[in-house]
Amino acid sequence: MNPDQNRPQALVRRWVEQLVVGEGLCPFAAGPIREGRVRITALEAADGQAVMREFLAEVEHLLAVDASVVETTLMVVPNALGDFDDYLDVLARLEEALQALGLEDALQLASFHPDYRFEGEPAESPGNYTNRSPYPVFHLIRQSSISRALQGWDNPEEIPERNKRRMQELGIEYLKRISAGSRGRN
């Protein structure tokens, strides 16, 4: 076994390939993944303040690189934010930072967490798995990429509900297995 296969970045890549792309949750992800334009980096941060510093460095990095090289960035947080409520607090601060920097029209922030739970959903609802990842993850997406991808998509507002239905079809046992596989457990 390749020792790099269990690194957080590799586990998140496997999750993206198996669930996000493999099950078609994000209709826009397959091309950038296949073409190597998705940066997956593990933040060294051990607390929310350090996450903020590393996040801002990743924002700067993404904006400095052409989209043909790096279209989007997944920031994996393996050493912090295991508690979902703490994660949500930091997510709100990161979104505020993008707004304070005037970047809300340039970048969008998507969020994933091992314990992700949509408001009003039971904890074990299959729909939560649309946003459950092996580790806490912040996904920086260029707005221009989203706009370009949506041009060829009818009714993009229906994607979240379509994804929840797909998770229901796959079933909780399958989702738990694929989730465990992403973490290197069988």
Side-chain angles (χ1 to χ4, degrees), residues 153-179:
W153 191 263
D154 292 332
N155 305 315
E157 68 279 357
E158 294 176 3
I159 293 172
E161 285 307 312
R162 181 202 65 163
N163 287 346
K164 286 182 180 181
R165 284 192 306 272
R166 180 66 182 139
M167 297 296 94
Q168 191 71 36
E169 291 167 4
L170 291 172
I172 197 74
E173 292 308 315
Y174 171 79
L175 294 168
K176 285 181 178 179
R177 271 195 319 273
I178 203 167
S179 198

Side-chain angles (χ1 to χ4, degrees), residues 16-134:
V16 168
E17 290 170 350
Q18 290 178 338
L19 191 64
V20 177
V21 172
E23 296 298 338
L25 297 183
C26 179
F28 323 122
I33 283 287
R34 183 179 56 252
E35 296 160 9
R37 293 182 289 123
V38 176
R39 175 176 161 89
I40 301 176
T41 185
L43 304 185
E44 297 296 323
D47 61 40
Q49 285 299 99
V51 168
M52 176 68 80
R53 284 190 302 276
E54 290 186 56
F55 170 81
L56 293 172
E58 283 300 321
V59 166
E60 189 175 318
H61 179 269
L62 183 62
L63 293 174
V65 176
D66 191 85
S68 65
V69 177
V70 177
E71 186 167 336
T72 189
T73 300
L74 293 166
M75 292 166 282
V76 184
V77 187
N79 304 315
L81 307 180
D83 179 82
F84 186 54
D85 289 328
D86 291 344
Y87 173 85
L88 291 176
D89 290 343
V90 171
L91 174 64
R93 292 198 333 250
L94 299 180
E95 289 173 335
E96 289 169 3
L98 287 178
Q99 193 168 23
L101 293 168
L103 295 174
E104 66 274 12
D105 291 334
L107 299 172
Q108 187 177 109
L109 187 58
S111 59
F112 304 93
H113 191 277
D115 298 321
Y116 202 96
R117 183 174 177 185
F118 287 103
E119 190 171 334
E121 287 284 324
E124 287 305 311
S125 170
N128 292 323
Y129 281 83
T130 64
N131 287 61
R132 285 196 179 166
S133 55

